[in-house]
Amino acid sequence: MKQAPFSSEKDDEYSSAYYKEGLVFCSNRRTDLFVTFSTPEDKELFNMFYVPIQGDSLGKAPAILSVELMTNFNDGPACFGANDSIILFSRNNEVNSKKRDTKDDRNKLGIFTSHLIGTVWNEPKAFEYNSKNHHITMPSLSKDGSQLFFVSDMSGGFGGLDIYMCEKVNNTWSKPINLGNEINTKGNESFPFISASGELFFASNGHKGLGGLDIFSSIKKNGKWQKILPIKAPINSEFDDFGLITDCNFESGYFSSNRKGNDDIYEFRTKFPQFSNCDTLKENQYCFLFYDEYYTPLDTLNTYYEWVFGDGMKIKGKEAEHCYEGPGNYEVELNIIDKRTGEVFLQQTKYEFELLDFEQAYISCVDESLSMHPIKFEASKTNLPTVDIANYYWDFGDGFLDEGIDVNHYYNREGDYKVILGILSEKDSLGCRKKICVEKTITINDNPTALIPMNLEDSNLQRNISSTGESFIGQQQINETSFRKSKLVQLPSNGISTMKAFSLVFFESFEKEKQFAKEYEEMYEDFEHDLNSNPAKALALKSHLNSRRKSNAKMHLIEKELQALSSQFQCSYIEAETQTMSDSATPILNRLLKILLTNPLIELKIGVHISKANSGNFDIAGKATQLIADYLVERGVDTVRLRTAVYETTFEEAGMKGDMNRLEFKVIKE
């Protein structure tokens, strides 16, 4: 960064704009064209000057942009459109008087437009929203000329000066729209510049910065301006910094600052691009529950179901959990196998299963490490098939930066650090690059002993497993033998494709918890052993355990809430024969709906347990579960996330008393 060569030591220069092969800027340097009036500080009023580019740098001989556009008042700032054949600039609404009273604020600023005819600018025309009651100034035109940004103190804003925007519709500017409180504050927002890539830069003294006016930026996603990003030093300083313009990649540009006393224009080049509003890293999912919703009568004595997953793996059963090693196209089959011959008796289903990674930049690193310990950061798993990547940039969150697909870094002190991986594409036909970024938080500790995981007996994984083979969860006792007597009843689909539940879900899930607890104990022993001899391995293990524990704790809370909703929901709320539901069910189902919408990976079983004495009510119970599923689907839940089931249960054997017909909501998997 350096002061532009045309900036003088004694005069003021500010608010530059790209024009032809150079810059147009505002300055109060003296001209000999005609006399303009001075301010009370004995300074000249501002005119618009043009300076051409000489080679790779700007020339040092600025000249008045246009005699036709000069007035006896302040002229500028300006912007240009239509291949530099249109100028939009700011000046006072009334410029016909021969003398200006500098204390008179009744002559408001407005925006005026002029067209270049040959080599001469024609008579400027006033912007249709200029007003005698408030200022309209500092225009910035989008690359395609469809949007005009400007500054105004019109009523209805958030503070002193706000930024507004108009859109061109049928060659007419729409009514000005305030950019909202994402951009505007109770302070002053000014000097907007919309870059060729659509990024908005502006100055503000209302947002938190380094002091005075600071420069900020924001981009618009899905119709909303994103969280603003302060431009880093040395562009921003404790002084007034404003009027930034840049190319579409923020690789070079100009800005104004009074850090040396006068307003001067500085030119800059960025060696490291800034990335803002980054996506949070999403972990790819390779494990799935495979099921088939259609019922086929099966002779279990002579046949069985078998899944073929297209990656060399097979699993017996109508439903099966399977994990793939990575993305790809897999041909999945569910076959009915003849036990005697081992051959396929009937192919139940067959389809192509395409497994894709999220399209994103991807950070591969540990979740937790020690200070002063090298950490490897990798971007090799980045999946951006439509982006021709030019380079990878790393911001480690501690003030250090690096670039490259694989880098190493260590932290000096403990804390949580937000790591950002930014990616720039190659330039397109207009010279612009795509910017993509993703962020991930890692934890750094000073003391290795602080990383010892919680004792197993203190974790959410604690379970009491008795030597009698009975499992205790909370105060509920379930005997393995009696639980396995639950009978699954397959129901007709009623025209809606829903998944059908399989029996023993609760017990199987519990068996997995016991296995995890066992793994945890074994890994905990490894952790204690490796803590001193191999800290890196111990930390990687700790990161893995923490990740699994956090997921388990979250699921524990969700399952607890679902249990509460199950106990509150009464079967009497539903009249299955008439397909109606009482108003009493609505609050419970809306809470259930919120759980599903805020946890999009959860799949839910809606089950009804009926006693043998009521076994004739299978169809009614099935309609009841379907009615609840319909309610959720109509409000945005994907049908493939819902499974319905009716169970014939010997409640007495399971030690359960009370109502023999009860409904339950239970997580199948997340």
Side-chain angles (χ1 to χ4, degrees):
M1 184 195 78
K2 62 181 179 180
Q3 187 172 331
F6 58 83
S7 275
S8 64
E9 294 295 329
K10 64 176 182 177
D11 299 316
D12 295 304
E13 296 87 15
Y14 75 97
S15 196
S16 50
Y18 292 115
Y19 176 64
K20 295 188 180 294
E21 298 299 321
L23 288 181
V24 168
F25 62 93
C26 299
S27 178
N28 57 5
R29 63 183 64 194
R30 183 176 295 278
T31 69
D32 296 326
L33 293 177
F34 55 82
V35 177
T36 59
F37 296 97
S38 301
T39 67
E41 294 79 18
D42 197 30
K43 286 195 172 185
E44 298 292 316
L45 299 183
F46 285 91
N47 290 297
M48 294 183 290
F49 289 80
Y50 169 72
V51 59
I53 292 178
Q54 296 179 350
D56 293 330
S57 63
L58 293 171
K60 297 183 180 181
I64 288 290
L65 171 67
S66 169
V67 175
E68 300 86 6
L69 300 180
M70 288 185 69
T71 70
N72 287 331
F73 298 81
N74 287 318
D75 299 323
C79 65
F80 298 86
N83 295 320
D84 296 329
S85 65
I86 298 176
I87 182 174
L88 288 85
F89 67 101
S90 177
R91 75 177 195 194
N92 291 93
N93 286 322
E94 300 294 334
V95 295
N96 294 325
S97 62
K98 295 182 180 180
K99 184 177 180 181
R100 179 189 174 192
D101 182 356
T102 56
K103 297 181 180 179
D104 184 6
D105 191 45
R106 291 174 295 178
N107 190 3
K108 302 295 184 181
L109 294 170
I111 294 174
F112 292 80
T113 303
S114 177
H115 292 76
L116 187 62
I117 309 299
T119 59
V120 178
W121 294 99
N122 67 4
E123 182 67 21
K125 292 185 178 180
F127 180 48
E128 47 261 58
Y129 296 106
N130 287 350
S131 171
K132 295 181 179 180
N133 301 317
H134 51 257
H135 296 292
I136 300 282
T137 184
M138 304 178 190
S140 179
L141 197 63
S142 63
K143 177 72 174 179
D144 61 2
S146 65
Q147 294 180 323
L148 173 63
F149 295 80
F150 61 88
V151 170
S152 178
D153 59 352
M154 68 176 71
S155 60
F158 291 88
L161 295 174
D162 281 359
I163 300 177
Y164 291 79
M165 186 266 287
C166 293
E167 292 189 289
K168 181 154 284 189
V169 181
N170 297 326
N171 209 33
T172 302
W173 290 114
S174 66
K175 185 178 179 180
I177 299 173
N178 189 296
L179 294 194
N181 59 6
E182 293 87 359
I183 302 296
N184 294 313
T185 68
K186 293 181 180 179
N188 292 315
E189 280 66 50
S190 54
F191 297 97
F193 171 74
I194 187 73
S195 74
S197 63
E199 188 168 4
L200 177 66
F201 296 86
F202 63 96
S204 173
N205 60 9
H207 292 287
K208 185 177 180 180
L210 299 180
L213 284 174
D214 279 308
I215 302 170
F216 300 84
S217 72
S218 180
I219 57 175
K220 203 170 189 179
K221 284 185 179 180
N222 301 320
K224 183 178 180 181
W225 291 103
Q226 303 299 297
K227 182 180 179 181
I228 65 163
L229 173 74
I231 304 303
K232 295 180 179 180
I235 293 179
N236 274 333
S237 70
E238 59 184 301
F239 301 95
D240 286 338
D241 308 295
F242 56 97
L244 182 144
I245 63 173
T246 179
D247 61 5
C248 59
N249 303 314
F250 196 60
E251 292 177 335
S252 64
Y254 303 87
F255 70 97
S256 309
S257 178
N258 66 352
R259 61 189 64 185
K260 289 186 178 180
N262 295 328
D263 287 338
D264 292 301
I265 293 176
Y266 294 80
E267 56 181 318
F268 67 88
R269 295 184 183 276
T270 57
K271 295 181 179 179
F272 198 94
Q274 280 191 284
F275 296 90
S276 61
N277 300 299
C278 301
D279 295 325
T280 302
L281 183 69
K282 294 179 288 188
E283 294 296 337
N284 295 306
Q285 300 295 323
Y286 301 140
C287 297
F288 304 91
L289 173 66
F290 290 83
Y291 67 94
D292 183 67
E293 62 184 4
Y294 298 106
Y295 176 72
T296 299
L298 187 65
D299 178 6
T300 57
L301 293 177
N302 298 312
T303 58
Y304 61 88
Y305 286 106
E306 182 179 71
W307 283 95
V308 181
F309 297 107
D311 61 349
M313 296 296 295
K314 298 179 181 181
I315 295 180
K316 295 179 181 179
K318 182 71 178 292
E319 296 180 343
E321 293 180 0
H322 179 61
C323 295
Y324 288 96
E325 290 187 359
N329 291 300
Y330 303 96
E331 188 174 76
V332 177
E333 301 177 22
L334 175 60
N335 298 318
I336 298 175
I337 306 297
D338 188 321
K339 289 182 177 179
R340 294 166 297 181
T341 65
E343 301 295 328
V344 176
F345 172 74
L346 177 68
Q347 188 175 80
Q348 176 82 346
T349 187
K350 182 179 180 180
Y351 55 89
E352 292 292 327
F353 180 66
E354 185 178 18
L355 178 55
L356 301 174
D357 281 346
F358 290 114
E359 290 192 12
Q360 62 176 348
Y362 194 89
I363 301 172
S364 296
C365 69
V366 297
D367 296 328
E368 205 164 352
S369 186
L370 288 172
S371 58
M372 307 306 294
H373 182 83
I375 304 172
K376 187 172 184 178
F377 296 85
E378 298 177 273
S380 55
K381 291 185 179 180
T382 290
N383 180 38
L384 295 168
T386 62
V387 178
D388 188 7
I389 297 175
N391 206 355
Y392 301 83
Y393 297 89
W394 298 89
D395 183 339
F396 300 110
D398 60 350
F400 287 90
L401 309 171
D402 205 344
E403 57 183 290
I405 191 168
D406 297 334
V407 297
N408 291 291
H409 181 67
Y410 65 86
Y411 292 87
N412 293 322
R413 58 179 62 90
E414 67 179 7
D416 292 331
Y417 295 90
K418 183 171 70 174
V419 180
I420 294 177
L421 168 62
I423 289 176
L424 283 188
S425 72
E426 298 287 356
K427 290 183 178 181
D428 60 18
S429 59
L430 299 177
C432 295
R433 302 180 189 270
K434 290 183 180 179
K435 295 172 71 174
I436 305 100
C437 60
V438 69
E439 62 185 42
K440 174 182 178 178
T441 300
I442 68 171
T443 299
I444 302 299
N445 291 278
D446 284 340
N447 188 350
T449 60
L451 299 177
I452 298 177
M454 68 176 76
N455 291 332
L456 182 62
E457 59 269 23
D458 295 330
S459 74
N460 286 325
L461 301 173
Q462 182 181 357
R463 296 292 188 270
N464 292 320
I465 304 172
S466 73
S467 59
T468 61
E470 293 178 334
S471 308
F472 296 87
I473 300 183
Q475 299 299 315
Q476 184 180 16
Q477 175 180 326
I478 300 177
N479 180 274
E480 177 181 349
T481 305
S482 61
F483 191 83
R484 290 187 180 274
K485 290 186 178 181
S486 295
K487 180 180 179 182
L488 171 67
V489 178
Q490 198 86 27
L491 300 172
S493 66
N494 269 349
I496 295 181
S497 176
T498 58
M499 292 191 285
K500 306 304 178 183
F502 57 90
S503 60
L504 309 181
V505 173
F506 191 91
F507 190 84
E508 288 182 3
S509 174
F510 181 68
E511 284 296 319
K512 291 174 184 177
E513 290 297 310
K514 289 195 294 184
Q515 178 63 28
F516 179 39
K518 182 179 178 182
E519 293 175 6
Y520 188 96
E521 287 181 305
E522 293 173 351
M523 288 190 290
Y524 181 76
E525 293 175 359
D526 293 340
F527 181 88
E528 288 182 311
H529 177 267
D530 290 332
L531 187 58
N532 295 317
S533 62
N534 192 341
K537 180 180 176 182
L539 291 172
L541 174 60
K542 171 62 166 50
S543 174
H544 173 69
L545 293 174
N546 278 346
S547 177
R548 295 190 66 177
R549 186 191 303 114
K550 289 176 183 177
S551 176
N552 182 272
K554 178 182 177 183
M555 285 304 303
H556 177 71
L557 293 175
I558 292 173
E559 288 172 347
K560 201 171 179 182
E561 186 170 0
L562 290 176
Q563 288 175 5
L565 293 179
S566 299
S567 63
Q568 295 170 22
F569 198 98
Q570 301 178 21
C571 289
S572 59
Y573 290 167
I574 296 179
E575 180 53 56
E577 291 184 338
T578 60
Q579 295 287 289
T580 58
M581 198 163 358
S582 72
D583 294 338
S584 301
T586 303
I588 299 175
L589 292 183
N590 285 343
R591 286 171 59 191
L592 180 64
L593 179 67
K594 183 178 180 180
I595 292 173
L596 292 172
L597 294 181
T598 55
N599 298 277
L601 297 181
I602 283 180
E603 294 179 1
L604 183 75
K605 180 191 72 175
I606 305 167
V608 173
H609 289 264
I610 64 174
S611 66
K612 286 185 177 181
N614 294 327
S615 59
N617 293 334
F618 283 159
D619 188 52
I620 294 176
K623 290 179 180 178
T625 59
Q626 191 63 55
L627 193 61
I628 295 173
D630 293 346
Y631 183 93
L632 299 172
V633 169
E634 289 169 1
R635 287 157 180 79
V637 179
D638 197 327
T639 56
V640 299
R641 298 174 58 197
L642 302 176
R643 307 171 67 187
T644 61
V646 177
Y647 296 92
E648 179 189 280
T649 306
T650 307
F651 286 86
E652 292 79 5
E653 294 180 2
M656 300 179 183
K657 305 296 182 182
D659 190 358
M660 296 297 103
N661 296 311
R662 64 180 181 85
L663 187 105
E664 69 172 356
F665 306 122
K666 185 176 283 296
V667 173
I668 297 303
K669 79 178 185 71
E670 184 180 24

